[in-house]
Amino acid sequence: MASHCFFVLLLSFTLFASITESRNHTRLFFHPKKSSPLPNASPPLPSTPSPIPPKYTYVCNSERFAELGLDMSSFAFCDKSLSYDVRAKDLIDRMTLTEKVTQLGDKAYGVPRLGLPMYEWWSEALHGVSDVGPGTHFNASLPHATSFPTVILTTASFNESLWKAIGEVVSTEARAMFNLGYAGLTYWSPNINVVRDPRWGRITETPGEDPYVVGRYAVNYVKGLQDVVGSETTEDLNSRPLKVAASCKHYVAYDVDNWQGIDRYHFDARVTEQDMIETFQRPFEMCVKDGDVSSVMCSYNKVNGIPACADHKLLTETIREKWDLHGYIVADCDSIEVMFHGHKWTATEQDAVAQALKAGLDLDCGIYYTNFTEPAVRSGKAREDDVDKALMNLYRVLMRLGFFDGSPAYSSLGIDDVCATTSIELAAEAAKEGIVLLKNNNSVLPLNSNKYKNLAVVGPHANATHVMIGNYALEKGGTPCRYVSPIDGLSNFAKVNYQMGCANVACKDETFIYAGVEAAKLADATIIFAGIDLSIEAESLDRTNLLLPGYQTEMILEIANAATTPVVLVIFSAGGVDISFAKNHPNINSIIWAGFPGAEGGLAIADVIFGHYNPGGRLPITWYEADYVDKLPMTSMPLRPIDELGYPGRTYKFFNGSTVYPFGYGLSYTKFIYLVKSAQRSLDKKLLPRQQCRQMNYMPDTYKPSCQSINVEDDSCDDVINFEIKVFNVGQYDGSNVLIVYSSPPQGLLKVPIKQVVGFQRVYVRARKSKTVKFSLNACKSLSLVDEAGNTLMPLGNHTITIGDGDEAVSFPVRVKFNF
Ligand SMILES: *[C@@H]1O[C@H](CO)[C@@H](O)[C@H](O)[C@H]1NC(C)=O
Ligand SMILES: *[C@@H]1O[C@H](CO)[C@@H](O)[C@H](O)[C@H]1NC(C)=O
Ligand SMILES: *[C@@H]1O[C@H](CO)[C@@H](O)[C@H](O)[C@H]1NC(C)=O
Ligand SMILES: *[C@@H]1O[C@H](CO)[C@@H](O)[C@H](O)[C@H]1NC(C)=O
Ligand SMILES: *[C@@H]1O[C@H](CO)[C@@H](O)[C@H](O)[C@H]1NC(C)=O
Ligand SMILES: *[C@@H]1O[C@H](CO)[C@@H](O)[C@H](O)[C@H]1NC(C)=O
Ligand SMILES: *[C@@H]1O[C@H](CO)[C@@H](O)[C@H](O)[C@H]1NC(C)=O
């Protein structure tokens, strides 16, 4: 969403842009240098539309209609005995074209003469109800909401039930706030763009670099937000009730914000069909097909020359037809304007609006649809039918949300359901589950509070509060239920001597280092809180390097060199940081990555350090070495290495160089051992009569079978690979272990992933006990590769299934044969 940092953008424009404050957010409007006359025929907007007053909470309430001087029984759209389709059509058919177009922006003006109130579509709930969108606000009467860790840390838990549980709490708080008049019902979350490059400013919002993990996060979080208990299996998905509506964003190939002057409003992502299917679209496909999300948001950037929000193939043919979306497609804020002014895609505003409508865009976050659709229809550029179709998609969702009829299941939710004790505890639990232990030389952690009574706590994040909640949080007046800073959390276990170490994250000089060193010399142990924040990685701000800023490294080294007692380094960041110096430093005994841990972060970190929680999180992204960013520009989209240009591959699937810490890395205070207890090691795939064999690319001198692969899209493949892994906890501590399952293709194939995640589970195993974990993988999904044309092919031969990474990994082959 366009909500921050437009100053960077302004400089890169030959146009000038102005920032207009609307009710609760900053919105971007571009204006041509010479004020070009607005196309005529755009009638003035209706004045001050009113939302539903909180005393009614839903539209079809006869007293409400009576108060407006209307008779509800004369409006079929309020007749509950009719289907949503019939009711939505009735409503749309009653509107004039002028009335219709004013419903197509995030601020839908409503139609007073029909008893239809105003509705603000834009609310956000990335990791807690947020006040970034104008649909939600906080004030002195309701100032708080639960603030969970940012998504990259929550993802590191690799715990699907946690992801869903967070969605459930967030939607409960959202419903309570809706009832009280503070919030909407439509939330433009989650952000499920795959992290392709370590410099990207929005990594904190996302579930990391693996498309399958990102997709599973999306499915679980969306179900947590949307699903109404008891109606998950409603047959007609167009009438399936919704708790709140989620939106998976930003579709698609969107992960350049602003890098070396190239920004998302001008960037044209050149993407191969292979990367599109294999990486960029995969999480969106899962979100729609497996999560049944009720909305997808298209992105600012162009994809292969066409703005994403104007692309009929990407929107209508893919999301709506191929994946069968039940819901609406919305444009990222002011995207239609960006098409016109940024990408210079069309000659007029009307053309931009007409293209977007034709492509299948239902809702504009912005004012372009509202202002320019009527003239576009009148001049024959756009069709009123397309307007009606868009409105159908919008009203169906509002009806499913109970906007018209109410939602008895949630009508009793109120202020006590916001910041409930169990919700605050879940936020702390999420941080604990996500925290990743990166180094623990000689098992210095956990610290025993009987022995470590005096701590030096040093560094720019030691007293962190709002830094912990990241972005898309509480920014305009709302605050978390409470904060537990690192020094608060550690004070529960020991006496804390706090020193800043650096004035702030930028750490421009050495002024505060000396006091930190002196504190460390006197302490039983030193905990250093270093890292980055939104001044380094943020929306509209990509990183230029992977190092700690300013003098932070010096600060850490001086403390480590002076200390004679244990030193623990805690890193706050979303993207990876090259801390090789600390990884290899004998006096830095332990390193913890805490992401941006949410409002309860300090409590979670202290519980981990003092052994009240045994960490089990795993990195959801590769931590590259610093020189990685010198090897390829951020704007190069391919995931595979480009040998001619010397570009290395991207993500653990295609990067074979050394790393600071690899994807999936994470230690525990205990030790786990895996054993393959049982496994299905072959798959005899019976081919359909007309199923064709497809060619694969083999390395020279490799044996090439006659039937090399089959296209798994040709049949509905329900073959499964079953196996059981026994997990032994052979150490001293109870703890959770994440089993990450990878498949690797048969040897000899060219340009294929080194390996790919096909499943994962997090299990809790007591010390000296074991647990058997069952997996049942869809064979076609798990053993397939995407070819250059975008076909999903399952190759013949011996695939490998591997559980875990490095020394602890176990694996077994799966032999794929075809029977004719
Ligand atoms: C949209 O229309 C309103 C009312 O006519 C006007 O105030 C506003 O400037 C217009 N915005 C754009 C971007 O055309
Ligand atoms: C806070 O907002 C609510 C909902 O909009 C409103 O009813 C209430 O009067 C406001 N309270 C204060 C103190 O502004
Ligand atoms: C920590 O920061 C808070 C504000 O966020 C401030 O009130 C408090 O005094 C700080 N604590 C110390 C020990 O400096
Ligand atoms: C681990 O600690 C030992 C001393 O106990 C030290 O020799 C070694 O260098 C340390 N290793 C790392 C990677 O810090
Ligand atoms: C790693 O990938 C690069 C880039 O494609 C390639 O040139 C190199 O041979 C690979 N190295 C190994 C050990 O596979
Ligand atoms: C996964 O998350 C759920 C919900 O918070 C929690 O109850 C469970 O203990 C977690 N599982 C593991 C293995 O940590
Ligand atoms: C797969 O492995 C089996 C033995 O496990 C071997 O006989 C067979 O030749 C292998 N197939 C291929 C295509 O490499």
Side-chain angles (χ1 to χ4, degrees), residues 274-275 278 638-642 647-650 654 751-753 786:
Q274 185 174 41
D275 285 335
E278 180 180 64
L639 276 290
R640 286 164 176 72
I642 307 177
Y647 296 175
R650 295 177 175 283
F654 300 105
K751 301 208 165 203
V752 295
V786 178

Side-chain angles (χ1 to χ4, degrees), residues 592-639:
I592 287 169
W593 175 69
F596 294 106
E600 299 292 306
L603 183 147
I605 293 165
D607 274 2
V608 166
I609 288 176
F610 282 95
H612 282 217
Y613 190 86
N614 183 357
R618 303 296 185 93
L619 292 180
I621 50 171
T622 304
W623 281 33
Y624 300 92
E625 291 173 356
D627 65 353
Y628 182 84
V629 301
D630 305 328
K631 294 180 181 162
L632 78 178
M634 194 178 168
T635 45
S636 166
M637 296 301 286
L639 276 290

Side-chain angles (χ1 to χ4, degrees), residues 512-528:
F512 297 97
I513 296 180
Y514 177 74
V517 171
E518 292 306 301
K521 283 185 189 163
L522 298 172
D524 298 332
T526 302
I527 323 290
I528 306 175

